[in-house]
Amino acid sequence: VVESDLNGQTVRLPALSESSRQALVGLLIHGPASRADLARRLRLSGTSLTRISRALEEENLTLDGTPNSEQRVGRPSQLVDVNVDRVHLIGVKLSSGSMNLARTDMRAKFLAERSVTLPSHDVQVVTDVLVREIQAEIAADDKVAAVGLSLAGPVSPRSEIIRLSPFLQWQQVPLVREMQQRTGLLAVVENDVRALTAAEHWFGAAAGSTDFALVTIGIGTGCGLVVDDQLVDGMGGGSGQIGHLPVTPNGPLCERGHRGCVRSYLSSTMMLRHAGDALARPDLTWDGLLELGRSGDPVVRRVLADAGTALGTVIGTVGALAAPSKVLISGESVDLVPLVRNEIQTAAEAIQHWTVPPVPIEVVPFTFTEWARGAAVIALQHLLRASVRKVD
Ligand SMILES: [Zn+2]
């Protein structure tokens, strides 16, 4: 079945059956496997597996790897693995004032990575810079097959139009369509937090998990959710916007006029403002704030503790709604977590239903390039889905 949103774009992968796609995804996530393991994993008959294996091999999508050293009896079987350089992907994270670009192989390994300053937020200026940078990558690497774009806000891979971007002040911008037309590549857009969630789902701390959540903390707070092995986008790409959930009724004000919402406590900008005001230190930096917190400064301890309570409230709420197997925490402010573990735990457990065991929380180390890597994973997922056509 050709997806309707392809708009005549060349899909630079051969047509795959849905079972071939699943076999490929399984190998990407779990690594090399013997044919017998693959058949067991996908619940396929020997005949089906032979057909799928042959198709993947003929299209150079898989390679026969090393003999299986773990096998103790019988003739040693060969392990099959994905040819991760069959196609390459580009991921771009669009921020205010800059964009970060990564080129990766099919297992999201960085091949190139750089940052580009954006001279303005004007739609045409951003589009021109984006197209120019993508074309430079295509010129450097003829295996590039798809590009993924990630940015904050309610965007969805099901639409080629960016409906709303608060930080760029965009409305109804057909950026994806223009990227496709001008670069000839398959293009897709996804919310930045969900793109990061996709990378964790296939290649990161939640590889192989069917149900988990990722909460990101930084200037903003976001939540990506995987339920039953599917990344949840929601209507119009609006899922996971947990920044304005209430924490207390009489807290500080956020920019939307709420008192005591998650953002008002947990946004790094807000935390610096609260501590900076109370200490008369308008120059306070994020690292300076954490340092004061570690040394026990009472004002900063309180600001951090309130942020921990807000984060615990988010985790408890997500836990109650979706029962994830674990919650990952990442993002620019992730160094906050070790300082407020107790507050997070207390707030999360206060919300959780008594019949449900506490959700394990895991901190994922973060660097800014992870955003672009996430966008590249979205590009890969979109490409694989677009490659599924009726071939069986
Ligand atoms: Zn708010």
Side-chain angles (χ1 to χ4, degrees):
V1 179
V2 180
E3 287 192 9
S4 56
D5 63 357
L6 293 181
N7 274 356
Q9 290 302 301
T10 329
V11 179
R12 296 186 181 188
L13 263 190
L16 298 172
S17 66
E18 175 54 24
S19 4
S20 302
R21 189 194 69 88
Q22 284 176 16
L24 204 57
V25 169
L27 289 172
L28 278 169
I29 295 175
H30 301 286
S34 68
R35 289 207 164 77
D37 284 340
L38 209 53
R40 213 168 304 129
R41 233 190 256 159
L42 297 165
R43 297 197 186 93
L44 288 170
S45 70
T47 333
S48 305
L49 187 79
T50 306
R51 194 183 59 230
I52 289 168
S53 303
R54 196 172 298 150
L56 292 175
E57 210 174 297
E58 273 168 11
E59 298 296 352
N60 202 15
L61 277 159
T62 53
L63 301 167
D64 267 333
T66 46
N68 189 353
S69 58
E70 283 170 27
Q71 187 180 330
R72 299 235 170 92
V73 287
R75 194 161 53 93
S77 61
Q78 293 271 304
L79 295 179
V80 183
D81 198 7
V82 177
N83 173 10
V84 291
D85 291 308
R86 175 66 171 78
V87 290
H88 292 159
L89 296 311
I90 296 176
V92 182
K93 151 83 170 174
L94 206 54
S95 313
S96 174
S98 72
M99 61 182 216
N100 194 253
L101 183 147
R103 178 155 47 86
T104 74
D105 71 9
M106 290 176 78
R107 264 203 191 101
K109 192 182 96 188
F110 284 113
L111 303 171
E113 184 270 320
R114 64 205 149 89
S115 213
V116 181
T117 308
L118 290 171
S120 84
H121 286 174
D122 178 78
V123 173
Q124 209 47 57
V125 171
V126 174
T127 311
D128 287 346
V129 174
L130 197 55
V131 168
R132 188 190 69 209
E133 296 301 325
I134 293 167
Q135 280 166 343
E137 290 304 313
I138 299 171
D141 181 348
D142 62 2
K143 287 181 179 170
V144 170
V147 53
L149 180 69
S150 87
L151 69 162
V155 292
S156 161
R158 284 178 265 173
S159 171
E160 293 175 341
I161 294 170
I162 294 171
R163 187 172 58 82
L164 181 72
S165 165
F167 75 96
L168 291 167
Q169 293 173 318
W170 286 359
Q171 275 183 41
Q172 303 294 343
V173 174
L175 183 62
V176 179
R177 194 178 301 156
E178 194 152 342
M179 276 164 63
Q180 293 198 141
Q181 281 166 356
R182 287 174 63 185
T183 66
L185 287 183
L186 195 67
V188 64
V189 66
E190 179 57 291
N191 167 271
D192 53 357
V193 176
R194 281 198 297 270
L196 200 60
T197 308
E200 296 300 336
H201 186 202
W202 277 21
F203 305 116
S209 295
T210 56
D211 298 84
F212 76 96
L214 168 73
V215 176
T216 57
I217 52 177
I219 294 173
T221 306
C223 177
L225 198 57
V226 168
V227 176
D228 200 16
D229 220 21
Q230 297 292 320
L231 187 61
V232 178
D233 281 314
M235 279 299 286
S239 84
Q241 307 273 18
I242 41 75
H244 295 285
L245 286 178
V247 181
T248 61
N250 318 310
L253 275 172
C254 81
E255 78 283 2
R256 300 296 305 166
H258 310 133
R259 283 210 174 275
C261 72
V262 168
R263 261 185 86 82
S264 77
Y265 289 115
L266 190 53
S267 160
S268 54
T269 319
M270 296 293 200
M271 292 172 69
L272 286 171
R273 191 176 303 160
H274 301 327
D277 284 353
L279 297 169
R281 287 268 312 269
D283 60 327
L284 193 61
T285 62
W286 178 253
D287 288 340
L289 181 88
L290 293 188
E291 203 42 59
L292 284 171
R294 284 186 202 103
S295 65
D297 178 279
V299 166
V300 173
R301 279 303 316 165
R302 180 61 202 245
V303 170
L304 297 182
D306 289 347
T309 299
L311 180 53
T313 303
V314 169
I315 292 170
T317 306
V318 173
L321 284 173
S325 63
K326 59 180 163 184
V327 175
L328 309 178
I329 309 174
S330 193
E332 283 86 355
S333 301
V334 79
D335 289 346
L336 162 76
V337 177
L339 297 174
V340 293
R341 280 245 177 222
N342 289 341
E343 286 84 356
I344 295 172
Q345 213 83 44
T346 306
E349 280 170 18
I351 295 175
Q352 264 160 5
H353 198 270
W354 60 273
T355 57
V356 181
V359 186
I361 296 167
E362 206 174 300
V363 176
V364 179
F366 180 80
T367 53
F368 195 78
T369 51
E370 290 300 310
W371 291 121
R373 190 167 171 262
V377 173
I378 290 295
L380 172 67
Q381 295 182 340
H382 190 66
L383 176 68
L384 291 176
R385 272 196 303 270
S387 304
V388 174
R389 280 155 272 177
K390 276 206 165 73
V391 291
D392 273 357

